[in-house]
Amino acid sequence: MPVITEKPLTSPARLALVVSRFNEEITSKLLAGAEQRLEAYAGTEATVVWVPGAIEIPLLAQRLAKSGNYDAIIALGAVIRGETSHYDYVCQQVSDGCQKVALDSNIPVIFGVLTTDDEVQALARVGGNHGHKGVEAVDVAFAMISVLRQLI
């Protein structure tokens, strides 16, 4: 039985990072970690697109996917729970939207959007005691590109 798992890429990859400006103190750290990790993948081209908030991420991801210029798209954002149910709607729409783009386009859309109860939890995920989700998103993107290339 053949086993397909991620392997080092034999050709360069093209990535797009869609980053939310809302909660920019957090999202800029997500982006910095992603950019730092991209340096480990020689030959990688990455385009960064800033959007006003997390809710705008899926539309830009869809446009980028339709361009045919990218092997994967990484969504970076931070949605922090407030006093209203707005948090629940935003999280669900962004998650569903990114999933739809991935399934419709056959391009990985990596969900690097933090959904936390407070800013302390968010900071713990951008280099704190819960790792760095920007770094992890890049690694997941390359793993998915590798696996998908083997299936073509």
Side-chain angles (χ1 to χ4, degrees):
M1 163 189 312
V3 175
I4 298 174
T5 186
E6 65 266 16
K7 297 178 182 177
L9 299 179
T10 57
S11 61
R14 301 162 303 154
L15 277 77
L17 293 87
V18 182
V19 189
S20 168
R21 282 205 189 280
F22 199 81
N23 290 318
E24 192 170 351
E25 176 187 349
I26 305 297
T27 62
S28 63
K29 290 179 182 184
L30 283 168
L31 177 59
E35 290 177 325
Q36 180 181 16
R37 186 66 179 139
L38 282 169
E39 293 174 10
Y41 294 95
T44 299
E45 294 180 29
T47 300
V48 176
V49 180
W50 286 90
V51 295
I55 203 78
E56 289 79 28
I57 290 173
L59 176 61
L60 264 290
Q62 180 182 52
R63 179 66 59 95
L64 292 164
K66 284 183 177 181
S67 76
N69 294 329
Y70 301 99
D71 298 304
I73 298 163
I74 299 174
L76 299 175
V79 183
I80 300 173
R81 187 179 300 280
E83 297 177 4
T84 69
S85 58
H86 182 71
Y87 167 90
D88 299 311
Y89 296 112
V90 171
C91 292
Q92 190 68 52
Q93 289 179 22
V94 176
S95 174
D96 289 350
C98 288
Q99 176 84 26
K100 182 171 179 11
V101 172
L103 294 173
D104 289 350
S105 67
N106 289 315
I107 295 172
V109 178
I110 310 307
F111 194 74
V113 178
L114 302 179
T115 55
T116 63
D117 288 327
D118 55 44
E119 191 173 326
V120 171
Q121 289 178 349
L123 289 169
R125 287 156 177 79
V126 291
N129 61 352
H130 284 282
H132 201 298
K133 301 307 177 188
V135 171
E136 291 173 20
V138 170
D139 289 340
V140 171
F142 278 95
M144 288 299 296
I145 292 167
S146 171
V147 170
L148 288 169
R149 284 183 179 176
Q150 293 175 65
L151 294 173
I152 295 175

